[in-house]
Amino acid sequence: GLLVTTVAPAMEISYLCCARRDEVFRLTTRNERKEGLWLQRSKGSDDEITAWSSRLREAVGNCKKINAKAPTPIDKPRYLIKRKDGGRYTKNALDSAWQRVIKKAMTKGVELPPELLEEAKRDGARMIGNCVVIDGGFTFHDIKAKGYTDRKEHNAGHKSARMHSVYMRKPDLVKATK
């Protein structure tokens, strides 16, 4: 089956690049550029290159470790996240894996890197030992929205103000009337 070790680096790339799940799992070695990771957007959004950061480089490196010994079929793309046969994961496999990850996160919790664990504790996350437990499910696509909300420049390839309002999950900070 598709393990959490596969989903976690995909989630990280989704967050850092404000990318849809399909955009992440379509990434190949050809998407790596000198200046960053080139995202070929879907659903009418503009392509963009997300500049390299140490966190993005680490996420891409972790993706490449997944089934690293898988063959690369001739005349086929070299996916950053690939199955044991070197091919691309199917939608059904990804849906099933996501459901398993969310169920585990809601019942047993998930371990986070120390810096994220401290942030979660400060934010009042529910804990079981050193694991953060989520209350209620969320979708893989919610990760894109969180990345968009946390990003300094707010475009993520969106062409309209309406799409900006869909992805911006942080309320505006305004001054009191008096």
Side-chain angles (χ1 to χ4, degrees):
L2 189 59
L3 302 173
V4 174
T5 55
T6 302
V7 176
M11 291 171 66
E12 182 77 345
I13 288 178
S14 175
Y15 173 75
L16 296 170
C17 298
C18 304
R20 292 177 177 87
R21 182 181 70 180
D22 185 59
E23 293 168 351
V24 172
F25 280 90
R26 258 190 296 129
L27 289 169
T28 69
T29 55
R30 289 183 174 198
N31 292 91
E32 294 178 89
R33 298 288 199 261
K34 179 181 159 193
E35 56 273 83
L37 190 61
W38 172 39
L39 243 75
Q40 295 169 288
R41 299 283 185 184
S42 57
K43 297 195 173 186
S45 296
D46 293 329
D47 292 357
E48 69 181 24
I49 296 175
T50 301
W52 290 117
S53 67
S54 58
R55 199 167 155 183
L56 182 57
R57 284 189 192 281
E58 182 179 359
V60 169
N62 287 335
C63 287
K64 289 179 175 181
K65 291 176 188 174
I66 299 164
N67 297 317
K69 294 182 181 182
T72 301
I74 297 173
D75 298 331
K76 299 280 183 178
R78 294 175 181 219
Y79 292 105
L80 291 184
I81 304 172
K82 58 187 173 274
R83 298 183 318 224
K84 289 180 182 177
D85 67 358
R88 187 172 157 201
Y89 283 103
T90 65
K91 180 184 181 317
N92 287 345
L94 296 172
D95 288 345
S96 296
W98 183 253
Q99 291 307 313
R100 288 192 307 274
V101 167
I102 291 301
K103 183 178 179 181
K104 180 182 179 204
M106 292 173 68
T107 56
K108 298 177 182 173
V110 290
E111 291 183 43
L112 296 176
E115 64 279 4
L116 295 178
L117 182 62
E118 291 307 312
E119 186 178 325
K121 286 179 182 178
R122 276 194 311 275
D123 290 346
R126 189 162 64 90
M127 308 290 296
I128 297 177
N130 276 336
C131 293
V132 176
V133 180
I134 65 167
D135 295 318
F138 65 95
T139 67
F140 198 99
H141 198 73
D142 288 332
I143 300 166
K144 174 186 175 169
K146 174 66 174 153
Y148 184 83
T149 299
D150 291 352
R151 203 179 234 194
K152 285 186 175 39
E153 60 277 338
H154 294 287
N155 61 351
H158 297 131
K159 296 179 180 179
S160 71
R162 185 180 78 74
M163 290 313 296
H164 168 78
S165 68
V166 167
Y167 286 101
M168 177 50 78
R169 306 278 172 97
K170 188 185 230 177
D172 292 334
L173 178 62
V174 296
K175 293 181 180 182
T177 304
K178 292 188 178 192

